[in-house]
Amino acid sequence: MRFVFCEDEGVTTHERQDQLFLIRHGETEWSRSGRHTSTTDLPLTAEGERVAASLKARLADETFELVLTSPRERARRTAELAGFPEAEVDEDLVEWDYGDYEGITTAEIRETVPGWTVWANPVPNGETPAQIAARLDRVNARIAAVPGDVLVFGHSHALRALTARWLELDVTEGRHFVLNTATVSVLGWDRGSPAIHRWNNE
């Protein structure tokens, strides 16, 4: 973990300067059609592979102390195409378990549950916000122990929830952070406070 030392009115403090780079996996057939995808292990589409490969040049100038990936094929393949085939699998980075809503779009769910969102409504036989927060807090604790920048390959809702917890917000505040496939987002610090440096950059 990098620190900068500051002196203010005779008090010396240290502030974190590390950054967390977030990459959502490339496009799959289900992400393209808006179907909720957690445990279903889908490959990238041809377009998903093409865009994921373009991440390699975009990350070429960065140095990472740790590179993590969800165990799902779509995340691991994105990491490989981006130039990080040795990314370490972290089971806590799997997507939100959608339970009975796996493979179903939000529009379809709202036919029986008007206004439904994963952030505000129950997911039958799936995960709760508290369960998501617990495992993503473990990821953030792991990142905090690393003396430098970290790169993570994962999924939409899980990475949005991870961002909320990085910002010291309730996990459900992840609803504010739209995240497209194969984009680069960077979290870090500003005067000692957790902050978003870049978001959803294509």
Side-chain angles (χ1 to χ4, degrees):
M1 184 188 311
R2 292 201 309 273
F3 292 100
V4 60
F5 291 86
C6 306
E7 291 187 6
D8 184 16
E9 297 181 354
V11 177
T12 301
T13 62
H14 57 272
E15 297 178 352
R16 283 179 61 177
Q17 294 293 299
D18 55 307
Q19 296 184 107
L20 172 59
F21 285 66
L22 304 176
I23 308 288
R24 183 185 172 193
H25 64 77
E27 179 192 81
T28 68
E29 290 290 348
W30 281 17
S31 70
R32 182 168 60 190
S33 60
R35 297 169 69 181
H36 286 84
T37 320
S38 178
T39 56
T40 305
D41 215 1
L42 297 175
L44 301 182
T45 62
E47 177 65 8
E49 295 234 346
R50 183 191 70 78
V51 178
S54 74
L55 292 166
K56 189 171 185 177
R58 298 171 61 193
L59 297 170
D61 294 334
E62 307 295 341
T63 300
F64 300 104
E65 295 288 334
L66 177 66
V67 181
L68 300 174
T69 181
S70 158
R72 301 292 182 243
E73 177 186 351
R74 55 196 183 274
R76 289 186 291 106
R77 179 60 173 159
T78 299
E80 179 183 0
L81 290 169
F84 300 92
E86 304 303 320
E88 183 179 343
V89 169
D90 189 325
E91 295 288 340
D92 283 330
L93 286 170
V94 293
E95 180 59 297
W96 198 308
D97 187 341
Y98 300 122
D100 295 350
Y101 293 153
E102 181 80 2
I104 301 175
T105 67
T106 296
E108 290 171 330
I109 297 168
R110 287 180 172 178
E111 291 176 4
T112 54
V113 187
W116 181 89
T117 74
V118 72
W119 308 106
N121 300 96
V123 180
N125 296 310
E127 284 185 290
T128 66
Q131 289 172 318
I132 293 292
R135 62 180 171 88
L136 295 180
D137 283 350
R138 289 195 295 268
V139 174
N140 273 327
R142 184 178 185 185
I143 291 165
V146 173
D149 294 346
V150 175
L151 174 63
V152 167
F153 292 87
H155 310 274
S156 176
H157 284 127
L159 292 181
R160 292 164 68 180
L162 179 66
T163 298
R165 299 304 295 153
W166 175 281
L167 297 173
E168 301 173 357
L169 301 173
D170 187 88
V171 71
T172 59
E173 296 305 300
R175 69 187 189 278
H176 296 296
F177 310 119
V178 174
L179 193 59
N180 297 330
T181 54
T183 52
V184 179
S185 299
V186 184
L187 307 181
W189 303 89
D190 180 54
R191 300 179 185 273
S193 295
I196 296 175
H197 290 183
R198 285 188 278 156
W199 190 258
N200 206 36
N201 287 8
E202 297 181 350

